[in-house]
Amino acid sequence: MNQRAPKDIHQERLKMHNANVANRVQYFDTQTGFFYEKLLEKRACPVCKEDKEQFLFFKDGGRHVKCLECEMIYLNPVFKDENLEKHYRNNHDLQSEIVASDSEFYTNLYQKGLDSIQKATTVGNILDIGCSAGTFLDLAKKANWSTFGVELNEQEASYATAKGHSVYNKFLSEVAFDVKMDAICLWDVFEHLKDGEAYLNEMKPLLSKNGVIFIQIPSADSLAAKILQEKCNMFDGIEHVNLYSFKAVEKLAKKCGFVVEGYETVISEIGVINNYLNYEDPYFGETSNTKTLFNSLDEEWLHKKKMGYKMQLALRRS
Ligand SMILES: [Zn+2]
């Protein structure tokens, strides 16, 4: 396998992150060192609606808290909807460039997700929300799915359309599909949505009888997040508004009338953890050991314990 070194991938992400951070300067009140209060709003736990939070840390301007009731980690306060939307519109999105420059890393993740989807439902119509340039849909099309996408970036949407996918350059709520979906996918999207409950409820009527919702999100249970804490890339201050533990996502699913049918973790981040444990920069350190922790715990062990960096979940209507 000709896979690129994780460090190269992190380098690409850092480029995006730095552009993002430069763009954020406008949000900071230099008097207080925090985001301008007018941009923000307070909220209760987005999963259980309780207001019992434990302060965790500030990261890139964002105040991260943990719900003492359901273990959900979330930004509080959080950007108001209109300001979050403005932020995304003004922030050049390099995601599809990253996917294109490291297709093998993503293809492996996408394939694993598609395998889980096909275990949970039959091949039919598949909708990818935030489909970007359609890399995942390409894979699904090859496996005989009829492919649909929703993508707000006009350029990426037209690129995906040109590859033969039915892509809407609109919000999900503005699209009227004339078929039911056997699978709806959200790859690295759900953590960006402030109201996951409303979104699950919005997707529910779009599903066929045996349809599933497939979600890939960063895992608050991951060993990397638990060891690195605020140094972990998962915590970004503005965009990752909700970081779910399994307990939290299961609770949310149940509340919306879904059961978790498949649950796997992906991406071990063992190399990142080893760098950190060696007093190096977690993402740019020189540790060569990316396969085992303490020379004994390997990736298989980590994923068996569901402590990988991201969760892949399949939700079915209960
Ligand atoms: Zn909660």
Side-chain angles (χ1 to χ4, degrees):
M1 255 201 286
N2 186 24
Q3 199 156 314
R4 296 169 75 220
K7 210 156 82 169
D8 293 345
I9 303 172
H10 293 309
Q11 195 66 51
E12 297 279 343
R13 292 219 179 95
L14 185 67
K15 217 164 66 182
M16 183 160 86
H17 179 74
N18 286 345
N20 198 318
V21 167
N23 179 58
R24 283 176 192 210
V25 172
Q26 59 180 308
Y27 307 140
F28 281 98
D29 181 343
T30 46
Q31 299 258 301
T32 64
F34 300 117
F35 289 143
Y36 286 109
E37 257 180 62
K38 62 178 184 202
L39 299 172
L40 307 170
E41 64 184 11
K42 284 284 284 177
R43 60 176 177 162
C45 169
V47 171
C48 70
K49 311 290 180 199
E50 292 285 342
D51 215 346
K52 297 178 199 157
E53 62 175 46
Q54 173 199 345
F55 170 72
L56 298 181
F57 46 75
F58 275 99
K59 168 83 180 284
D60 293 339
R63 182 175 177 271
H64 294 77
V65 302
K66 179 180 164 183
C67 173
L68 292 172
E69 200 64 37
C70 74
E71 296 178 11
M72 180 71 181
I73 295 177
Y74 57 103
L75 284 173
N76 198 21
V78 67
F79 269 42
K80 290 177 190 163
D81 290 344
E82 64 266 30
N83 299 322
L84 205 51
E85 216 185 300
K86 243 183 258 170
H87 165 75
Y88 284 119
R89 234 182 291 130
N90 299 332
N91 221 342
H92 177 51
D93 184 11
L94 296 168
Q95 187 59 34
S96 64
E97 290 171 29
I98 289 178
V99 172
S101 70
D102 193 46
S103 58
E104 192 164 338
F105 175 79
Y106 285 94
T107 304
N108 289 339
L109 291 177
Y110 287 156
Q111 188 59 56
K112 196 171 164 59
L114 191 62
D115 291 346
S116 305
I117 291 166
Q118 291 178 169
K119 240 184 259 170
T121 189
T122 44
V123 174
N125 300 320
I126 196 164
L127 168 65
D128 187 5
I129 296 179
C131 68
S132 199
T135 313
F136 170 68
L137 291 178
D138 294 343
L139 204 69
K141 202 177 173 67
K142 263 189 226 158
N144 292 322
W145 288 84
S146 298
T147 48
F148 299 82
V150 170
E151 174 53 54
L152 291 176
N153 182 301
E154 204 180 326
Q155 202 185 340
E156 293 186 330
S158 65
Y159 191 60
T161 303
K163 290 193 288 180
H165 311 302
S166 306
V167 178
Y168 300 84
N169 183 217
K170 290 176 176 176
F171 286 103
L172 178 67
S173 56
E174 297 167 341
V175 186
F177 296 100
D178 49 14
V179 292
K180 294 283 183 189
M181 297 297 158
D182 300 292
I184 301 178
C185 307
L186 298 103
W187 290 93
D188 306 313
V189 164
F190 203 61
E191 68 272 26
H192 294 256
L193 305 172
K194 278 162 69 179
D195 193 345
E197 184 178 341
Y199 217 79
L200 281 181
N201 286 327
E202 191 179 333
M203 291 186 284
K204 208 171 165 182
L206 306 180
L207 286 172
S208 69
K209 195 159 170 269
N210 284 315
V212 291
I213 293 178
F214 173 86
I215 297 176
Q216 177 174 290
I217 40 175
S219 169
D221 299 326
S222 71
L223 192 60
K226 288 188 168 181
I227 291 179
L228 269 68
Q229 307 260 323
E230 70 266 37
K231 286 194 168 65
C232 182
N233 276 349
M234 179 180 301
F235 308 109
D236 81 336
I238 293 182
E239 297 184 4
H240 289 182
V241 293
N242 289 343
L243 294 153
Y244 296 85
S245 62
F246 178 72
K247 189 177 160 185
V249 78
E250 192 182 35
K251 191 178 181 112
L252 186 74
K254 200 172 164 188
K255 212 172 160 184
C256 299
F258 289 93
V259 285
V260 178
E261 176 146 316
Y263 169 35
E264 307 264 356
T265 67
V266 293
I267 311 175
S268 78
E269 295 283 58
I270 285 177
V272 167
I273 297 169
N274 278 335
N275 278 333
Y276 186 65
L277 295 178
N278 283 331
Y279 307 102
E280 295 184 47
D281 180 286
Y283 296 99
F284 301 101
E286 298 294 336
T287 303
S288 57
N289 184 358
T290 60
K291 297 289 173 207
T292 60
L293 285 166
F294 315 114
N295 294 320
S296 54
L297 307 174
D298 62 8
E299 295 193 337
E300 201 187 331
W301 173 87
L302 192 120
H303 291 307
K304 205 184 280 173
K305 297 286 181 194
K306 306 284 196 239
M307 287 196 288
Y309 185 61
K310 290 186 181 179
M311 296 185 221
Q312 292 191 348
L313 305 149
L315 311 181
R316 178 191 297 290
R317 268 181 298 197
S318 50

